[in-house]
Amino acid sequence: MAYYPLRHYHGVSIFLEVHAAQKSLDEMFHGFSIDLKPYYDKTQMEKIRAIHEQITSNLQVRVTIEELSKQYDMPATSMKKCFREIYGDSIYSYQKR
């Protein structure tokens, strides 16, 4: 169901039922792993990119998860999950590697 409060919309929206779409992809592409990732909004993405920049720009400085969470005003669990989804590793492991 779509709702347009101003009865006016420019653009295209595509709505998917993720579980049904995932099942169809799995059936179409046997042997290939295609995973529909969760959606992250622009603000979250900007914060995660900034965190990535911070932890990779000066490798001499170790920043804790708690410090990053406070600095970027993002819950630690959400921050860790989002970072792992985007960069493929935990913040700690990525920084260590």
Side-chain angles (χ1 to χ4, degrees):
M1 181 175 154
Y3 175 68
Y4 304 106
L6 301 176
R7 299 186 191 340
H8 184 88
Y9 180 73
H10 292 283
V12 175
S13 294
I14 299 173
F15 300 93
L16 298 172
E17 200 286 300
V18 176
H19 298 291
Q22 184 68 60
K23 184 178 178 184
S24 295
L25 287 172
D26 292 343
E27 291 171 0
M28 287 191 308
F29 300 102
H30 300 288
F32 292 99
S33 177
I34 299 174
D35 185 18
L36 297 176
K37 299 297 181 192
Y39 172 79
Y40 296 108
D41 65 37
K42 183 180 178 183
T43 304
Q44 285 176 309
M45 291 299 295
E46 288 171 350
K47 288 179 181 182
I48 295 300
R49 284 189 189 116
I51 290 167
H52 179 266
E53 176 64 29
Q54 181 175 343
I55 67 171
T56 58
S57 64
N58 186 355
L59 300 177
Q60 309 306 337
V61 177
R62 294 281 182 188
V63 185
T64 68
I65 298 295
E66 292 77 26
E67 290 170 337
L68 290 170
S69 176
K70 288 177 186 174
Q71 182 179 350
Y72 291 96
D73 191 30
M74 191 173 193
T77 304
S78 300
M79 179 182 67
K80 291 188 292 187
K81 183 177 181 214
C82 187
F83 189 93
R84 181 182 293 275
E85 288 286 330
I86 294 167
Y87 292 103
D89 209 348
S90 69
I91 295 172
Y92 175 76
S93 295
Y94 195 93
Q95 191 175 21
K96 186 176 176 183
R97 189 170 29 90

